[in-house]
Amino acid sequence: MIILNHAYVLNPTSNEFEKKKLVMKDQYIHAILDCNTTIEQENLYQNIDASSLYITPGLIDACSQIGLKETGIRWEGNDSYEPTQEINTILSVVDGIYPFDPSFKLAISTGVTSAHIMSTAENVVGAYSAIIHMDGATVDEMLITNNVGLSFSMGDVPKKAFFDFTKKPLTRMGIANIIRQTIQKLRVDGLPLDFPFFIRCHRADDIETALRIQKELQANFTLVHATEFALIDTDAKKEISQVIAGPVFQAIERFELKNLHPSLFNQLQTTDILSCNATDHPISSVSHLKLESSLAIREGVSRNNALRSLTTDAAKILQIDHLTGSITTGLYADVVVWDQHPLNLTAKVLSTFIKGKEVYKGSDCK
């Protein structure tokens, strides 16, 4: 049982910081109170003076391979895709996550408390994804939600991976056909109509193909990356409901990324599309998640909206906003304490809590 007192706590409704007393008990946020309000048996709590500090929900990386593609390890630690996968065989990322990947410690030291784990882009038909906390001795202990959705990939990455393995070409027509056939087969096998699909696409033509398939099959698509969102026409944009955008902080080393730019975040914010940010770790380090939002601010996104995209909006897209993503009574106590506003480039994480347990304490803490 822990009380963080006199801190600037992020209000989930106004999205403003307010001076409050935050009470965590039995893995959950127990109460958010005025600083001078006392609670029953308060003397039994660990009472921490957090004066002048800022408290946010834990950041959520909405697309990551942390633990699936191990940091610093070659092919031996890469369990992010299956080269020999048959079209009709669907894998699950939980079977490949390594809970002792050192990147988990890096994540919590930068305020990231949970991540949506997706297979990489090499397979047209990826794996069933999962959402995990960044702390735990086993994958089952870390797991928040399993079988969140199924990932698909379009564009040059699956084309190259297919050719490298089969020495046969794979066209965009072929990719679209595989996606259609897979969805249709899964529905015959009993998959619900509203089951979520996460579809990786960068180029404008791939985005429009994804939207065409979505309309044909009445599928529930969330676009991932959507790099050339600005190039699709207005009517097509109206068909998009959710986007996991980025990462924009990465090398432009493929032709498909030639239009990659942080202005993507502002372009999305000016629409009714629900969007959030991601690092797609380890292509871009998990520690860069906050930097993605800092780049969004540079392009005109407000600090409030940029912070919401890392917390509340990410939780809504992943359908875990009833579990985490905001400082709300009854949700998991996934909480980060910062020495200043978290989107200041010089902001440091002083403490990270996951389910009410302090899993990281910065060197600046007493």
Side-chain angles (χ1 to χ4, degrees):
M1 299 184 291
I2 299 173
I3 295 175
L4 299 171
N5 210 348
H6 298 98
Y8 294 107
V9 178
L10 187 65
N11 184 305
T13 303
S14 67
N15 216 40
E16 300 285 348
F17 285 96
E18 301 172 350
K19 207 154 198 177
K20 294 289 182 179
K21 172 189 287 188
L22 176 63
V23 184
M24 298 183 286
K25 180 181 178 182
D26 298 331
Q27 301 186 356
Y28 299 98
I29 296 172
H30 180 66
I32 306 103
L33 307 167
D34 291 333
C35 296
N36 58 358
T37 303
T38 57
I39 61 173
E40 188 175 343
Q41 296 183 319
E42 184 165 328
N43 61 310
L44 300 179
Y45 286 73
Q46 179 186 356
N47 203 317
I48 300 172
D49 182 10
S51 299
S52 302
L53 303 181
Y54 287 73
I55 296 180
T56 68
L59 308 186
I60 301 171
D61 194 344
C63 175
S64 175
Q65 292 95 52
I66 187 169
L68 197 63
K69 193 171 184 180
E70 296 169 44
T71 302
I73 308 295
R74 304 170 300 168
W75 60 268
E76 313 97 291
N78 184 1
D79 293 301
S80 61
Y81 85 104
E82 179 57 59
T84 60
Q85 180 188 353
E86 298 293 333
I87 292 175
N88 294 330
T89 303
I90 310 298
L91 310 175
S92 179
V93 297
V94 294
D95 297 322
I97 296 171
Y98 180 57
F100 304 107
D101 186 336
S103 287
F104 287 119
K105 290 185 178 180
L106 174 62
I108 60 176
S109 73
T110 57
V112 180
T113 58
S114 55
H116 178 214
I117 311 302
M118 292 175 56
S119 51
T120 51
E122 281 84 350
N123 285 126
V124 175
V125 181
Y128 287 117
S129 61
I131 303 169
I132 61 172
H133 276 126
M134 299 289 96
D135 180 69
T138 67
V139 175
D140 288 337
E141 184 181 332
M142 301 166 78
L143 192 64
I144 298 175
T145 307
N146 196 9
N147 296 330
V148 177
L150 178 62
S151 62
F152 294 119
S153 296
M154 306 181 77
D156 62 358
V157 174
K159 287 178 66 173
K160 182 179 185 302
F162 184 86
F163 182 80
D164 287 347
F165 184 73
T166 66
K167 303 306 177 186
K168 298 177 181 178
L170 178 64
T171 66
R172 280 179 159 81
M173 294 182 292
I175 288 174
N177 183 54
I178 291 170
I179 293 173
R180 284 187 178 97
Q181 285 186 342
T182 301
I183 294 175
Q184 290 166 342
K185 180 184 183 302
L186 288 171
R187 285 181 172 172
V188 169
D189 292 342
L191 194 72
L193 283 174
D194 62 349
F195 187 80
F197 298 103
F198 298 90
I199 185 161
R200 294 174 178 268
C201 45
H202 291 279
R203 273 181 20 177
D205 57 336
D206 288 331
I207 295 173
E208 292 181 353
T209 298
L211 296 177
R212 189 180 309 115
I213 296 171
Q214 175 182 248
K215 188 174 183 179
E216 288 173 10
L217 302 181
Q218 297 181 311
N220 178 12
F221 278 5
T222 295
L223 300 184
V224 181
H225 309 311
T227 300
E228 293 188 350
F229 170 82
L231 300 183
I232 66 175
D233 64 37
T234 303
D235 289 338
K237 290 175 181 175
K238 293 177 182 177
E239 301 297 322
I240 302 172
S241 59
Q242 299 186 154
V243 173
I244 298 173
V248 298
F249 187 72
Q250 61 171 306
I252 301 177
E253 55 189 10
R254 306 189 338 260
F255 185 73
E256 282 195 359
L257 301 180
K258 68 182 189 306
N259 290 314
L260 184 68
H261 193 271
S263 58
L264 170 64
F265 298 131
N266 194 40
Q267 292 157 5
L268 288 166
Q269 287 289 329
T270 58
T271 69
D272 294 329
I273 298 168
L274 184 62
S275 63
C276 65
N277 304 351
T279 67
D280 205 17
H281 171 87
I283 297 171
S284 179
S285 171
V286 67
S287 63
H288 293 161
L289 184 58
K290 191 166 74 78
L291 178 57
E292 293 286 315
S293 279
S294 296
L295 291 170
I297 292 169
R298 191 194 72 180
E299 297 300 319
V301 176
S302 70
R303 289 211 301 183
N304 282 354
N305 287 346
L307 186 54
R308 194 175 66 225
S309 73
L310 299 178
T311 54
T312 308
D313 287 351
K316 287 179 179 177
I317 287 174
L318 300 175
Q319 299 182 40
I320 55 169
D321 51 314
H322 63 296
L323 298 173
T324 189
S326 65
I327 306 293
T328 302
T329 302
L331 269 60
Y332 282 133
D334 299 340
V335 169
V336 185
V337 182
W338 309 79
D339 65 343
Q340 55 186 292
H341 192 289
L343 291 184
N344 292 344
L345 285 176
T346 56
K348 294 180 181 179
V349 174
L350 301 181
S351 291
T352 302
F353 296 85
I354 293 179
K355 295 166 73 173
K357 172 188 173 184
E358 188 174 36
V359 295
Y360 172 77
K361 188 170 187 178
S363 58
D364 293 344
C365 292
K366 297 179 181 179

